[in-house]
Every structure is written in C-alpha cells, then in structure tokens.
Amino acid sequence: MSAVRETTDAGFKSDVLESEVPVLLDFWAPWCGPCKAIAPILEEVATEYEGKVVISKLNVEENPEVTAQYGVMGIPTLLLFKDGNVEGTKVGPLNKSQMIAFIEGSL
C-alpha cells in the first residue's frame, strides 16, 4: 500500500485545505518523466513524516480545477499547505535532501 495519498478536485477541500496536519501536494501527470523520478522519494518522505505531514498527489490532467486555481504551469509542482494556506512552492524535481529541507523550512 502506498504511503502517498491521491486527491481530486472534488476531495481537495477536505483532503488538503481542512487537513489537521500540513499537506505536501504533488501536481503530476502519468507522462511526466520528472514526476516519475520523484515518486519513490515522495513515498520515502511520506513514510518518514507519517503523522507530521501528509504527502498527496493530484493528477493535473484529471483535475483541472485545482490545477488552474493554483496557477500550476509546469510539473512536477509541489505546494506545501498548512492550515489551508500555501506555505511553500517548488517547481521541478527535487532530490530527497532538497525535499526534506523544503518541508522543514515551511513547517
């Protein structure tokens, strides 16, 4: 079972904006090479930060509303939400140490 959750336009409010813990949201698509490259890193980070941060993915092709709402133009785009607000943004692939630094710096 994956430690990374999936969200949709319909579930975004409850899954992300109303989350009790911060949410790192990965905007991705199945054809995106860099998105595939960071997927195992997201799994590792989701396991290590369980209970502290939720890692969630949103497929940009299937969920155009949230993608447009946050002005996502390139993928992967990572947004860190805390208490319903965007606390940090990264566009492009990150290695594990960069991802952890991004999360820690935004919490």
Side-chain angles (χ1 to χ4, degrees):
M1 191 175 120
S2 175
V4 175
R5 300 180 186 176
E6 297 253 354
T7 193
T8 62
D9 283 343
F12 174 76
K13 184 179 179 196
S14 61
D15 293 344
V16 178
L17 299 181
E18 296 173 351
S19 176
E20 297 287 319
V21 296
V23 177
L24 180 65
L25 184 60
D26 172 31
F27 290 83
W28 73 287
W31 48 262
C32 169
C35 300
K36 291 178 187 174
I38 68 167
I41 299 167
L42 290 168
E43 285 288 341
E44 287 179 36
V45 172
T47 302
E48 291 174 20
Y49 280 81
E50 189 174 356
K52 295 186 228 164
V53 175
V54 170
I55 308 294
S56 190
K57 296 171 72 106
L58 183 109
N59 184 324
V60 297
E61 291 185 329
E62 296 174 357
N63 301 283
E65 290 175 29
V66 172
T67 302
Q69 180 180 348
Y70 287 93
V72 174
M73 303 297 282
I75 54 175
T77 291
L78 300 171
L79 297 182
L80 187 68
F81 289 85
K82 186 175 178 186
D83 300 322
N85 299 307
V86 177
E87 296 293 325
T89 304
K90 289 283 183 188
V91 179
L94 304 176
N95 64 35
K96 186 175 178 184
S97 62
Q98 291 169 321
M99 194 173 296
I100 288 172
F102 172 57
I103 292 168
E104 292 288 337
S106 300
L107 292 182

